[in-house]
Amino acid sequence: MATSLASLPVIDGRSLVGPQLPDLDSREPVRSHVTRESALLACGAQGPEPALGQVYLARHGQTESNLVRRYAGYSAEPLTETGRGQISGLAAQLGLCGIAEIWTSAVARARESAHLVSQMLSAPVRVDSRLNELRMGPWEGLTEAQVADRFPDAYALWCTLPDRLVLDGRETLEAVAARVTAAMRDAASRPGPVLLMTHVAPLRVAVLHTLGLPLGLYKRVHVSNGACVRVDRRQCEVYPLSEERSLRHRLKLAFPGPESSAA
């Protein structure tokens, strides 16, 4: 009998055991064409063996909320067909990176994404709530336009100085950074490469923390659905998958201004 997603064990950053996730769908995922050379570049390997202690962070695939710019928060909505294709493509890119474990947010869209990658890479999956999306409080379930209309002052601050926004029931960027960087440290101590499946806010703050940049630059970090980065904690650099140039250079060239962060 298949095990439900809700029954997946949760890790605390110290112990890891367990089986594969059950199938969510019997359809065969679309596999993107990736050469061995590009895959090795994506995982930072210099030879046939994957580097140890590597940490990758990925954003879940597209959902309906992403299409309408809604703050989905902890909703249980599934991926769209496009979202499933994005994650299948990500799994193909990660194919030669030697992913040994997948840690995922407890939120449904991230767990579905992690399962799809797991199916292709045969890597065990564990739920780690430190990778959950930012808690939006009174904004959860609203579109960006609705938030701007109902919370004009707070939304204006969020678009300009996001690290300074403090709102009852809403998690701060500093709080998100504390939990996601703790998960990254634990993942980096594992003997093999670990993929952390998460959301836009945790991924953005993880990038900024690794690069030693202020959280005020939050809006300048672009994270599309299905995007993935490789974290080099020794060099304090972050590389988009399949790229050799650090995101640090891209952020230096980024133009200031509001950008959608609806998850």
Side-chain angles (χ1 to χ4, degrees), residues 26 30 39 61 100 111 125 145 149 188 196 199 207 226 231 235 245:
S26 60
V30 177
R111 296 173 77 175
V125 177
D149 181 61
L196 306 181
H199 306 262
V207 167
V231 176
Q235 299 297 323
R245 190 172 177 82

Side-chain angles (χ1 to χ4, degrees), residues 162 204 208 215-223 247 250-259:
R204 280 176 163 174
L208 292 172
L215 293 177
L217 297 179
Y218 176 86
K219 293 287 185 174
R220 299 197 191 186
V221 183
H222 177 68
V223 182
L247 275 177
R250 188 176 300 177
L251 289 172
K252 285 181 179 179
L253 297 174
F255 291 100
E259 177 187 321

Side-chain angles (χ1 to χ4, degrees), residues 9-260:
V10 178
I11 68 170
D12 60 5
R14 292 187 296 274
S15 60
L16 274 172
V17 291
Q20 287 292 113
L21 275 167
D23 287 345
L24 288 177
D25 197 312
S26 60
R27 290 171 293 181
E28 182 70 13
V30 177
R31 298 173 184 265
S32 298
H33 175 70
V34 179
T35 66
R36 177 177 179 82
E37 290 74 18
S38 64
L40 287 173
L41 175 62
C43 63
Q46 301 301 314
E49 296 298 326
L52 298 181
Q54 294 271 4
V55 178
Y56 299 82
L57 289 97
R59 185 185 179 191
H60 62 80
Q62 182 195 77
T63 66
E64 290 295 334
S65 285
N66 296 140
L67 294 175
V68 299
R69 301 167 77 94
R70 177 187 297 119
Y71 291 109
Y74 284 55
S75 75
E77 66 180 310
L79 302 183
T80 62
E81 200 62 38
T82 295
R84 293 174 66 85
Q86 290 168 338
I87 298 303
S88 292
L90 170 62
Q93 284 187 285
L94 291 169
L96 292 178
C97 294
I99 300 297
E101 303 166 7
I102 302 172
W103 300 5
T104 179
S105 153
V107 181
R109 57 190 180 276
R111 296 173 77 175
E112 182 180 359
S113 298
H115 169 65
L116 290 172
V117 176
S118 172
Q119 281 185 310
M120 293 182 69
L121 302 187
S122 299
V125 177
R126 286 293 172 271
V127 174
D128 188 333
S129 61
R130 295 175 297 181
L131 302 173
N132 287 1
E133 179 60 296
L134 180 153
R135 285 200 174 276
M136 302 302 294
W139 294 11
E140 189 156 334
L142 302 179
T143 64
E144 289 189 299
Q146 290 172 326
V147 170
D149 181 61
R150 300 181 194 183
F151 304 87
D153 293 338
Y155 184 71
L157 185 62
W158 174 239
C159 289
T160 54
L161 300 169
D163 56 322
R164 300 188 186 181
L165 179 60
V166 178
L167 195 65
D168 286 345
R170 190 182 186 284
E171 199 172 12
T172 64
L173 291 185
E174 186 176 358
V176 177
R179 58 177 169 84
V180 72
T181 53
M184 289 170 58
R185 285 193 300 271
D186 289 343
S189 70
R190 299 296 299 167
V194 179
L195 173 66
L196 306 181
M197 185 63 70
T198 185
H199 306 262
V200 62
L203 212 159
R204 280 176 163 174
V205 298
V207 167
L208 292 172
H209 174 83
T210 302
L211 297 177
L213 297 174
L215 293 177
L217 297 179
Y218 176 86
K219 293 287 185 174
R220 299 197 191 186
V221 183
H222 177 68
V223 182
S224 59
N225 291 112
C228 183
V229 298
R230 174 172 57 87
V231 176
D232 186 336
R233 290 178 56 84
R234 293 180 182 177
Q235 299 297 323
C236 296
E237 297 292 354
V238 180
Y239 301 90
L241 206 59
S242 303
E243 294 186 24
E244 293 183 298
R245 190 172 177 82
S246 170
L247 275 177
R248 182 186 305 278
H249 304 287
R250 188 176 300 177
L251 289 172
K252 285 181 179 179
L253 297 174
F255 291 100
E259 177 187 321
S260 169

